[in-house]
Amino acid sequence: MKPSVWAVVVTWNRRALLEQCLAHLIAQTRHCDGLVVVDNASDDGTAEMLADAWAGQAMVVRMPVNTGGAGGFNAGIRAAIEAGADRVWLMDDDVLAAPDALEALLAAEAGLADEGVVPAFLCSSVRSPEGHLTNTPEIDRRWNVLGYPDWGERLEQGMIPVRQATFVSVLVSRAAVMRHGLPLAPMFIWGDDTEYTLRLSRDEPGYLVAASRVEHVRAAPGRLTIETEPDARRERLHRYLTRNVILAKRRHEGRRSALRYAASRLRLAGRLALGGRWRKAGVLVAGVVDGARFDPEVEHCRPS
């Protein structure tokens, strides 16, 4: 029986990009069975556009305030699962999926099922508009029976096992959501997808599917780093990133890993302060302090 797949898109004040994202979703060779758009209290006409152009085509979850990507995906996954989705296909509003992106993910899932393998999640190969690899997931390095890393086992099938990924075309099963819960809404932004996919892949890896391709039209391409952050308005978000990475490492890699990361952030803060960049240094220190006490609970969907 064909699984019911619902796409979940989270948006905030990017109406033009959202329209492109949705146009790519409805052009899929394997059509989505449902579409949830979480509007994080946009004030740029997004709500009106969705009401006019997407009435009857998308379930719109309008948040009263901006809850960040974390809160948006928490609400969107909950809505899709409670509406009966067997799979949720997660992405931000700046993701443009190739026409066969979903078809390739489901074909990979079917191939793994033939081998008796249930992936933690599946994710697409992501490139920038210029064609550069971006949002590259972290390879899962679990060993095989001979004591060697097993990551090359399915290279001929165009798949690589991964342990974490970003919410840029990630396919998650209903069973995984019911077992592992929802993304942590209090994380707000940055790192919530890492924590969630690490949680999903605790027992079995996820898989990067090379044949599934998407383009990520990021406003600020490249790795997130406060050292090179040019936008003063975004500097404060690195406080969330630091806090959230500490949480993810503490829960999924252990206390020592979290302490090493916290120490690295404090060393960087020291270098920034010595260079006169006191505001950026303060953001990192605040993130480390937050990370020491940040401990949100996992929420679960209601069983149907």
Side-chain angles (χ1 to χ4, degrees):
M1 183 175 174
K2 186 175 74 169
S4 170
V5 181
W6 284 55
V8 176
V9 181
V10 176
T11 189
W12 179 66
N13 280 351
R14 292 197 289 203
R15 182 180 61 186
L17 270 176
L18 175 63
E19 289 182 280
Q20 294 181 59
C21 174
L22 297 179
H24 282 71
L25 287 178
I26 64 170
Q28 291 295 302
T29 54
R30 196 294 195 184
H31 292 164
C32 296
D33 300 287
L35 173 58
V36 176
V37 179
V38 181
D39 177 8
N40 253 325
S42 299
D43 56 10
D44 65 343
T46 290
E48 293 77 10
M49 180 272 290
L50 290 171
D52 292 343
W54 292 90
Q57 298 185 75
M59 176 191 298
V60 178
V61 179
R62 170 80 176 176
M63 307 300 282
V65 296
N66 184 2
T67 60
F73 282 110
N74 176 294
I77 294 172
R78 184 192 301 274
I81 292 297
E82 292 182 353
D86 298 314
R87 306 286 184 275
V88 286
W89 187 22
L90 313 174
M91 65 188 69
D92 288 316
D93 56 7
D94 55 0
V95 177
L96 308 180
D100 60 349
L102 178 57
E103 182 180 354
L105 290 174
L106 292 173
E109 182 184 62
L112 290 168
D114 289 342
E115 301 178 41
V117 175
V118 178
F121 59 87
L122 297 169
C123 60
S124 300
S125 175
V126 186
R127 291 188 180 270
S128 70
E130 297 75 28
H132 304 301
L133 277 175
T134 185
N135 296 89
T136 308
E138 182 178 327
I139 290 177
D140 187 288
R141 299 185 182 276
R142 276 174 263 219
W143 293 357
N144 63 16
V145 294
L146 298 179
Y148 287 91
D150 203 33
W151 62 264
E153 178 67 23
R154 293 183 172 83
L155 282 180
E156 292 181 354
Q157 299 165 259
M159 287 186 278
I160 297 175
V162 295
R163 64 189 298 259
Q164 65 185 59
T166 59
F167 286 154
V168 182
S169 184
V170 174
L171 187 73
V172 182
S173 72
R174 179 186 188 88
V177 173
M178 299 307 292
R179 178 182 178 189
H180 296 286
L182 298 164
L184 296 170
M187 293 182 82
F188 188 68
I189 193 171
W190 292 355
D192 50 297
D193 42 14
T194 294
E195 190 285 325
Y196 192 57
T197 49
L198 282 171
R199 201 189 323 158
L200 295 176
S201 65
R202 189 172 294 160
D203 300 320
E204 298 292 338
Y207 284 89
L208 168 66
V209 180
S212 178
R213 297 163 292 111
V214 302
E215 183 179 297
H216 194 190
V217 191
R218 294 179 65 180
R223 296 181 65 86
L224 293 172
T225 167
I226 196 169
E227 292 175 280
T228 57
E229 178 60 69
D231 189 344
R233 295 170 300 177
R234 285 166 53 94
E235 284 181 8
R236 64 181 182 86
L237 300 181
H238 289 267
R239 177 173 180 172
Y240 295 121
L241 177 63
T242 300
R243 178 197 68 182
N244 294 346
V245 171
I246 290 173
L247 172 71
K249 288 184 176 294
R250 191 173 74 236
R251 289 192 176 181
H252 304 292
E253 297 178 4
R255 184 170 177 269
R256 288 185 179 181
S257 178
L259 288 173
R260 284 195 298 269
Y261 178 78
S264 75
R265 297 301 88 190
L266 292 176
R267 288 193 296 270
L268 176 55
R271 292 197 298 271
L272 290 170
L274 288 173
R277 294 189 281 179
W278 290 97
R279 187 170 59 193
K280 290 187 175 185
V283 167
L284 291 179
V285 171
V288 170
V289 172
D290 291 345
R293 58 194 179 195
F294 188 49
D295 195 30
E297 293 185 6
V298 173
E299 297 177 72
H300 290 266
C301 293
R302 296 191 304 267
S304 57

